[in-house]
Amino acid sequence: MVGSPLGITAIAVALVAVAAILVPVGLNALGCGETRYLRVSTTQSMAPVLREAASEFNAGSSSYGGDCVYAQVDEIAPHRIMSAISGTRPDDSTIAPHVWVPESSAWVELARVSAEGAHGIETDPPSLAASPVVMAAPADSEGLPGGNEAPWTTILPEELDPDRQVVMVDPNRGADGMAAMYAIRDHLGTGDDADTDMTDFVRDVQQDSAFGEIDLRTFYSGSEAAQERRDPLTVVPEQEVVDYNTTRPDSAPSLEAYYPEEGTVRLDYPYVTTTENPDLRSAAADLYEVVSGDAHRDRMRELGFREPDGSPTPTLEGRSGIVSDGHEVHGGLTGDALLDSVNDWNRLSMPSRALVLADTSENMEEDLNGGPSRIDAAREAARTGLQLFPDETDMGLWMLSEEFGEQGRDEATEMHQLGATDDADVTRRQELAEVADTIEVEGGQSRLYDNMLDAFDEVQDNYHEDKINSVIMLTAGIDDGSSNLSHQELVETLQDRFDPERPVSFFIIAFGNEADEAELQSIASATSGSAFVTDDPDEIGDIFLSSISRRLCVPDCD
């Protein structure tokens, strides 16, 4: 039995349990009134150092207020600690540490946004180490700049080989991801075109984003499978590149760190005391003195960290793929810029809930400047939209025409996730694609205004807080008095019913020059949405991206 995996597991569990009991028992034997635990939370990269420092601290059997304090180090994602400290997620309160060492003071600033976080967190915690955010890829990678510098624009879709993915941490879970978002927004600027480009960037990197610290060994393993694909370009702290290059197997490629030409963010690994208990604060201060000692500082240097002020260590000198000095850093990732870097990502990556209205009235028969008909363009737009939206999207389809009866529509498909399957293993995406391929002109008028209001009410009545709720309209943009509502009545009703706390927006794509763009824009504007009129089917992809980018301003779009 001992040789079996179950037997080994049982022995390991028993040893851990015994060890957990012996520590407080041993401390009580030394005359402690009680045994208390100093909970320390940190990153995966800093955890080895803090665990060694905690062992040294615990060996001292220090007493505080008559109680012995034992330091315990855990690796818990910084976004969870931030939520626990700031009180935004009560369920996480049990993991709130007494000492917190995230990778960046950006987390401290975000936590202090709340009243509870501002009350419980010191304003200027000391730094244990530093590491600049860099881009990394195997040395001499094809299509990447030579040398050790590259502009942040290297990670934009139009600048990179489409076969080379960009891997970065979700900005909600890592300051290196926040740094990349900040840099791209700083490059793109503001305005509609910039928002469209930001949308393109987020949609490109979102599918490969990591939900925690990136383990470079996962992406550059040197395995046969890894060698058959193009190596990704990663956004990581410099320390991770150093550690990877030091410990990688011979079969895995050596990585080159690319330092952003425009400057980068320096991660500062602050030592944050979050408890107000005076005894635990004293213990935390003593643990800081231990981890700041020469032995543990040397350990940080071995792992590839810089000095707290960002200066290089002797360990970095001559390291493969690393430039020890000369790169520029900035302190731009603070305040509104910090919040905007996270908010941009969240709004653009949030799943959608969209009801699509496809006009199949007689007005859709006309061609576009001698090219395809409006219905052909609408069919192509539906296909494009299905490709752009991820599986988490809820989508339904109504087809509009008086020929469908009194309501003037056929509610072809109800709202379901695009990735959901039916009993025959057919996804909603596949079902909608088949329906889109068969959309034809039914004739009659569109009952456009009545159906738009009904669609708005349908989405608003079934609003989902965790999704972007919208109505997407593919139309000739012509009502011709077929609705009970007038254009003005529709606009006024939408203005009255639009709720900024639960926004439902119209995104209208109208085909052909008979559409009244001003009228359609007034409808869209009533819901903080957008309207586009086109006679060029090749513009459809860009129009969809522009529409999606409106998420960045809802509910306050002009």
Side-chain angles (χ1 to χ4, degrees), residues 397-399 404 407 409-414 451 454 458:
L397 174 66
W398 290 1
M399 294 189 286
F404 289 122
Q407 286 186 308
R409 64 176 178 265
D410 173 20
E411 299 181 6
T413 61
E414 297 178 351
N451 278 309
D454 287 347
E458 173 70 19

Side-chain angles (χ1 to χ4, degrees), residues 46 101-105 122 124-131 266-272 288 291-292 297 300 305-310:
M46 187 61 74
V101 185
E103 80 273 25
S104 171
S105 291
E122 57 188 316
D124 191 22
S127 168
L128 290 183
S131 190
R266 178 191 297 151
L267 306 184
D268 59 345
Y269 302 88
Y271 185 94
V272 188
Y288 174 74
V291 77
S292 299
R297 288 232 173 267
M300 285 185 255
F305 290 102
R306 291 173 176 260
E307 302 295 355
D309 63 0

Side-chain angles (χ1 to χ4, degrees), residues 140-194:
D140 301 321
S141 291
E142 183 180 349
L144 293 179
N148 285 99
E149 283 194 340
W152 273 115
T153 53
T154 304
I155 64 176
L156 288 173
E158 65 268 21
E159 299 292 334
L160 204 61
D161 185 326
D163 292 331
R164 191 185 300 281
Q165 66 186 126
V166 172
V167 178
M168 58 181 260
V169 173
D170 182 323
N172 293 286
R173 291 169 166 80
D176 36 349
M178 297 179 202
M181 282 294 290
Y182 167 81
I184 294 303
R185 172 54 80 186
D186 187 57
H187 166 75
L188 294 176
T190 58
D192 290 345
D193 290 343

Side-chain angles (χ1 to χ4, degrees), residues 186-265:
D186 187 57
H187 166 75
L188 294 176
T190 58
D192 290 345
D193 290 343
D195 286 349
T196 298
D197 290 340
M198 176 61 83
T199 302
D200 195 20
F201 167 68
V202 171
R203 295 182 67 81
D204 186 67
V205 300
Q206 176 193 359
Q207 57 188 340
D208 296 313
S209 62
F211 290 96
E213 289 182 69
I214 292 174
D215 183 352
L216 293 174
R217 297 165 190 82
T218 301
F219 296 97
Y220 309 105
S221 63
S223 66
E224 289 186 15
Q227 292 175 11
E228 291 176 358
R229 60 170 169 75
R230 185 66 60 91
D231 286 314
L233 178 66
T234 51
V235 178
V236 291
E238 175 193 64
Q239 180 272 331
E240 293 191 26
V241 180
V242 176
D243 185 53
Y244 166 88
N245 280 342
T246 303
T247 60
R248 67 180 176 85
D250 291 339
S251 59
S254 177
L255 295 186
E256 193 89 14
Y258 294 94
Y259 296 83
E261 293 174 357
E262 309 90 334
T264 188
V265 171

Side-chain angles (χ1 to χ4, degrees), residues 11 59 83 90 121 130 143 168 170 192 218 243 265 290 293 299-300 319 378 434 486 555:
I11 292 171
S83 298
I121 299 179
M168 58 181 260
D170 182 323
D192 290 345
T218 301
D243 185 53
V265 171
V290 173
R299 180 74 171 115
M300 285 185 255
R319 283 294 181 101
E434 291 177 4
S486 68

